[in-house]
């Protein structure tokens, strides 16, 4: 709301200044110069007053910006009767601030749902019935019903026999976790199985998810806002401007020369060209599916030296996939997959749905199963085309067909084994894993070429799983088993080496994203909390978009710097000409407009930045046999 009011105020100031300029010109050319002067003054005063207030606020916070030059030029022009020059400067300055506000607002819209993942109500058992209550009304000891697909609202213990929850947004574990009776369930996790009862152990405000949200708020509050790129040259440029203006007045005794110097020095190339280049970069990045939430993050993104990556859903796909099929009794691999997928159509379990998706991707027509019975957390039993099929964990299926579970110690860490039995015989096994995203190796190599010096992995998953997945990527470090606050500490420690970018997708990543110089969220499937905490959101589910995003950010910043250097150089030449008496204040204002047009046209080149598009290799065929199981988990 505060941002909206500020944007409206800046728009109003621009409209007043522009109206005053053009209305004054109309009166001047109609032969009424006195009325024109009054109108120009009326258009300048609101812009000057707003500028003075902004300068005072900046000085109180210890910041000195180029706005002082604009205030001096408008004030001097009004004092010495150069009202037209003052009006031109007012329009140039208010236009620059409006454009900068527009850039920020455009990049941040529709990204204000930090708590959209949190349920607003919960279902509580009471007097033999169910009632919907607000989260704040939940008390320890309450028995809650968690339906399939619901987000667990508070920390508690499982009151039903079993529960299946997806904790990937909290812990980084890519596969659903089975919880037995009495096991702890964290708020923020999602019910991936049948409905179950939960006994609340904490109030909502003291639960895991609420703590993560507080970490996000604290990290955001501790990160200082970025100063504008132009202000880095402010003190030097201000000193040069005042020196030339004072010298011109001192040696000639003509105050108008000093006014002309100040008007030419008005830093519109910095106020206008920099935001134009950066917002053009924002638009260009969005074209490639990279949403950058403002010019500040874009500029910081161009200076990144350290990259920290989450694993589940970021470096990996985040969804279990079949990496190999082990056939028994000579049954074809495709037939094993087809029968398993046909039966699993009756289950909503994430692993079952992944098997169904894999079969459909291979073009199998799946018949409708019959006589289906699902044992939550164990497996599914039913008939497919008249054949009895059992799909589930190896222990469960082996017990149903009267044989001992096999030794599958060769399976890579982090993989899941799904057994398939047909007509009372073990038909085979499907090995599933959360695979590394395709093209990750090429992307990391490209980022190193772009100047990223250190690349680290930070995950809540086990170390053996993380090491297997990242083997051969050439990472500079791996941190496993991290909690959300430990990820924040890692980010803060790495920031001592230089600007840090953190990439993640889950609620557990949100505090680290907020603490990093640039936080990047996988927005296509990531949690709303991480998307809100981040400075950059990848709108497509492809981490390899990081490369084009950084390349565009660096190109836009380079063009912005070029515009600054060219604008300042031309302004200094104009100031010297004004000091020598070759330019009047109005001529200086018009010259400044020419300089503005030149540097803005240069800044618009950011819209034509063409980053190197990532090349995604074609997926490999699914292999079979135990020899492939150990290697197939990392395509």
């Amino acid at each position: 709301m505060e941002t909206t009011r500020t944007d409206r105020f800046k728009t109003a100031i621009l409209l007043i200044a522009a109206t005053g300029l053009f209305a004054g010109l109309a009166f001047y050319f109609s032969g009424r110069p006195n009325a024109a002067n009054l109108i120009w003054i009326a258009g300048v005063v609101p812009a000057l007053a707003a500028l003075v207030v902004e300068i005072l606020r900046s000085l109180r916070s210890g910041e000195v910006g180029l706005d002082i030059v604009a205030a001096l030029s408008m004030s001097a022009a009004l004092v010495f009767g150069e009202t037209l020059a003052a009006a031109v400067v007012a329009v140039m300055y208010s236009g620059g601030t409006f454009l900068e506000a527009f850039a920020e607002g455009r990049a941040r819209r529709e990204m204000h749902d930090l708590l959209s993942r949190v349920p607003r109500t919960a279902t509580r058992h009471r007097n033999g019935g169910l009632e919907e209550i607000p989260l704040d009304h939940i008390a320890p000891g309450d028995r809650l019903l968690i339906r399939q697909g619901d987000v667990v609202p508070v920390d508690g213990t499982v009151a039903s026999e079993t529960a299946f929850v997806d904790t990937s947004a909290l812990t980084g574990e890519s596969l659903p976790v089975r919880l037995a009776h009495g096991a702890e369930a964290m708020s923020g996790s999602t019910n991936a199985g049948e409905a179950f009862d939960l006994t609340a152990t904490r109030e909502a405000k003291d639960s895991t998810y609420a703590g993560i949200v507080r970490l996000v708020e604290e990290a955001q509050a501790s990160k200082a806002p970025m100063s504008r790129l132009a202000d880095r040259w402010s003190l030097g440029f201000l000193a040069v401007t005042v020196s030339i203006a004072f010298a011109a007045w001192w040696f000639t005794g003509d105050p108008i020369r000093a006014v002309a110097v100040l008007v030419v020095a008005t830093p519109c190339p910095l106020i206008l060209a920099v935001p134009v280049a950066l917002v053009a970069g924002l638009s260009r990045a969005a074209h490639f599916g990279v949403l950058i939430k403002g010019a500040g993050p874009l500029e910081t993104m161009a200076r990144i030296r350290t990259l920290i990556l989450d694993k589940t859903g970021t470096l990996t796909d985040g969804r279990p996939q079949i990496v190999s099929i082990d056939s028994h009794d000579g049954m074809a691999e495709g037939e094993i997959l087809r029968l398993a997928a046909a039966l699993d159509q009756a289950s909503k379990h994430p692993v079952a749905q992944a098997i169904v998706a894999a079969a459909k991707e291979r073009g199998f027509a799946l018949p409708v199963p019959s006589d289906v019975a699902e044992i939550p957390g164990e497996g599914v039993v039913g008939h497919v085309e008249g054949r009895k099929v059992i799909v589930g964990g190896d222990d469960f299926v082996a017990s149903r067909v009267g044989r001992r579970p096999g030794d599958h110690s060769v399976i890579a860490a982090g993989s899941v084994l799904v057994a398939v039995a047909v007509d009372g015989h073990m038909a085979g096994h499907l090995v599933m894993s959360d695979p590394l995203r395709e093209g990750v190796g090429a992307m990391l190599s490209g980022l190193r070429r772009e100047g990223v010096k250190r690349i680290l992995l930070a995950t809540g998953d086990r170390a053996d799983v993380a090491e297997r997945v990242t083997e051969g990527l050439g990472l500079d470090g791996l941190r496993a088993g991290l909690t959300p606050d430990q990820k924040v500490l890692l980010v803060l420690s790495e920031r001592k080496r230089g600007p840090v970018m953190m990439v993640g997708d889950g609620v557990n990543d949100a505090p680290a994203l907020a603490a990093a110089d640039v936080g990047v969220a996988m927005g296509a499937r990531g949690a709303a909390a991480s998307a809100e905490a981040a400075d950059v959101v990848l709108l497509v589910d492809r981490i390899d978009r990081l490369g084009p995003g950084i390349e565009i950010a660096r190109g836009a910043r380079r063009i912005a710097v070029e515009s600054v250097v060219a604008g300042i150089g031309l302004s200094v030449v104009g100031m010297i000409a004004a000091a020598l008496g070759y330019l009047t204040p109005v001529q200086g204002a018009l010259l400044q407009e020419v300089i503005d047009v030149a540097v803005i046209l240069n800044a618009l080149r950011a819209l034509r930045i063409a980053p190197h598009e990532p090349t995604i290799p074609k997926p490999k065929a699914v292999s079979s046999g135990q020899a492939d199981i150990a290697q197939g988990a990392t395509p």
Side-chain angles (χ1 to χ4, degrees):
M1 185 64 70
E2 182 66 28
T3 301
T4 302
R5 285 198 296 265
T6 302
D7 291 347
R8 289 176 178 173
F9 177 75
K10 291 180 178 179
T11 302
I13 292 296
L14 173 60
L15 290 175
I16 292 172
T19 301
L21 173 62
F22 292 110
L25 288 173
F27 275 89
Y28 181 83
F29 287 112
S30 64
R32 302 174 63 183
N34 292 333
N37 286 329
L38 292 176
I39 293 174
W40 284 327
I41 293 172
V44 170
V45 169
L48 180 57
L51 178 56
V52 170
V53 171
E54 186 65 30
I55 291 172
L56 292 176
R57 287 178 179 172
S58 299
L59 291 175
R60 277 199 299 267
S61 61
E63 298 176 1
V64 179
L66 285 166
D67 298 344
I68 295 177
V69 178
L72 286 175
S73 64
M74 279 189 274
S75 301
L78 289 178
V79 168
F80 293 104
E82 298 290 337
T83 53
L84 174 56
V88 173
V89 173
V91 171
M92 289 190 295
Y93 175 78
S94 57
T97 57
F98 169 80
L99 186 57
E100 191 173 39
F102 173 76
E104 294 288 337
R106 175 178 176 179
R108 284 187 177 272
R109 63 188 176 206
E110 299 179 2
M111 300 303 276
H112 301 287
D113 297 325
L114 173 61
L115 301 180
S116 63
R117 179 178 170 82
V118 181
R120 305 301 179 191
T121 62
T123 305
R124 181 172 64 184
H125 290 276
R126 176 60 62 90
N127 300 326
L130 297 172
E131 62 177 358
E132 291 290 323
I133 60 171
L135 288 190
D136 293 341
H137 291 183
I138 299 175
D142 284 347
R143 190 181 180 99
L144 308 175
L145 174 65
I146 312 299
R147 301 183 180 90
Q148 187 177 61
D150 283 353
V151 175
V152 177
V154 297
D155 293 344
T157 58
V158 177
S160 300
E161 185 175 342
T162 58
F164 250 86
V165 295
D166 178 1
T167 63
S168 59
L170 295 170
T171 66
E173 286 283 354
S174 57
L175 299 173
V177 178
R178 180 188 179 189
L179 301 178
H181 179 81
E184 294 185 358
M186 291 185 292
S187 60
S189 57
T190 303
N191 182 10
E194 301 296 326
F196 68 92
D197 288 345
L198 179 83
T199 301
T201 57
R202 294 187 182 92
E203 297 180 0
K205 63 183 179 66
D206 298 323
S207 291
T208 299
Y209 187 85
I212 290 176
V213 170
R214 282 194 295 274
L215 280 174
V216 173
E217 293 171 346
E218 291 169 4
Q220 286 177 325
S222 67
K223 185 169 66 173
M226 261 213 58
S227 61
R228 291 183 305 182
L229 177 65
D231 288 343
R232 297 180 183 173
W233 289 274
S234 58
L235 290 176
F237 189 79
L238 178 61
V240 170
T241 299
V242 172
S243 299
I244 294 176
F246 182 77
W249 191 356
W250 178 269
F251 288 109
T252 66
D254 185 2
I256 301 302
R257 291 198 182 189
V259 173
V261 170
L262 292 174
V263 170
V264 175
T266 301
C268 291
L270 306 181
I271 296 172
L272 284 172
V274 170
V276 166
L278 298 184
V279 79
L282 298 177
S283 300
R284 190 61 177 160
H287 176 75
F288 288 88
V290 182
L291 176 63
I292 305 174
K293 300 183 189 177
L298 178 112
E299 192 213 354
T300 308
M301 191 173 177
R303 299 183 292 109
I304 290 301
R305 290 294 177 266
T306 300
L307 173 66
I308 301 177
L309 295 162
D310 176 47
K311 182 182 74 68
T312 303
T314 302
L315 203 60
T316 66
D317 185 67
R319 294 171 289 195
Q321 296 181 18
I322 297 174
V323 294
S324 64
I325 301 175
D326 183 21
S327 175
H328 303 300
D329 297 333
M331 181 174 286
E333 296 175 8
E335 184 66 5
I336 294 173
L337 176 59
R338 188 182 74 88
L339 293 175
L343 181 61
D344 274 342
Q345 291 177 103
S347 173
K348 287 186 174 292
H349 193 282
V351 173
Q353 291 301 301
I355 292 174
V356 173
K360 289 182 177 179
E361 287 175 2
R362 288 162 174 77
F364 291 126
L366 303 181
V368 178
S370 60
D371 304 323
V372 178
E374 181 171 5
I375 295 83
E378 299 287 355
V380 186
V381 179
H383 287 83
V384 177
E385 296 176 333
R387 309 178 73 178
K388 185 176 181 179
V389 180
I390 307 172
V391 181
D394 191 47
D395 292 347
F396 169 73
V397 176
S399 66
R400 290 292 180 121
V401 298
R403 58 176 288 179
R404 294 172 59 85
D407 179 14
H408 301 285
S409 57
V410 70
I411 295 177
S415 298
V416 171
L417 190 70
V418 178
V420 182
V422 179
D423 292 332
H425 298 283
M426 187 68 75
H429 291 85
L430 308 177
V431 179
M432 305 189 70
S433 180
D434 183 15
L436 193 71
R437 290 179 184 268
E438 294 177 343
V440 166
M443 178 206 71
L444 296 182
S445 298
L447 292 180
R448 291 191 186 278
R449 289 193 298 271
E450 284 294 324
V452 177
K453 303 300 183 183
R454 283 174 56 80
I455 302 178
L456 309 175
L457 179 72
T459 178
D461 214 339
R462 303 192 310 272
D464 56 345
V465 176
E467 290 172 358
R468 172 187 61 81
V469 170
T470 60
E471 185 178 0
L473 292 182
L475 299 181
D476 298 296
L478 188 154
R479 308 289 187 273
L482 299 182
T483 59
D485 54 337
Q486 289 173 331
K487 288 186 177 182
V488 172
L489 291 176
L490 175 62
V491 168
L492 295 178
S493 65
E494 288 295 329
R495 286 182 67 182
K496 299 174 183 178
R497 301 173 182 264
V500 173
M501 173 183 285
M502 170 72 192
V503 188
D505 78 316
V507 176
N508 66 311
D509 300 317
L513 296 180
D517 295 284
V518 176
V520 181
M522 303 292 293
R525 288 189 285 120
S530 61
E532 177 63 26
D535 304 293
V536 180
V537 178
L538 302 184
L539 300 178
V540 292
D541 192 30
R542 288 174 52 178
I543 192 175
D544 58 5
R545 291 295 179 179
L546 270 181
I550 291 179
E551 193 174 342
I552 290 171
R554 294 192 169 172
R557 183 178 182 274
R558 182 180 61 254
I559 291 172
V561 172
E562 290 172 356
S563 299
V564 168
V565 172
I568 288 180
L570 293 173
S571 294
V572 169
V573 172
M575 284 190 288
I576 294 174
L580 296 175
Y582 294 110
L583 293 175
T584 66
V586 173
Q587 290 172 336
L590 294 177
L591 173 62
Q592 188 61 60
E593 286 288 2
V594 174
I595 296 173
D596 291 345
V597 171
V599 296
I600 288 174
L601 289 177
N602 181 68
L604 287 174
R605 290 193 300 114
L607 288 172
R608 300 195 301 271
I609 296 174
H612 294 89
E613 278 277 27
T615 301
I616 302 299
K618 295 181 179 180
K620 300 176 182 178
V622 175
S623 59
S624 63
Q626 292 291 345
D628 292 323
I629 291 178
Q631 302 175 17
T634 309

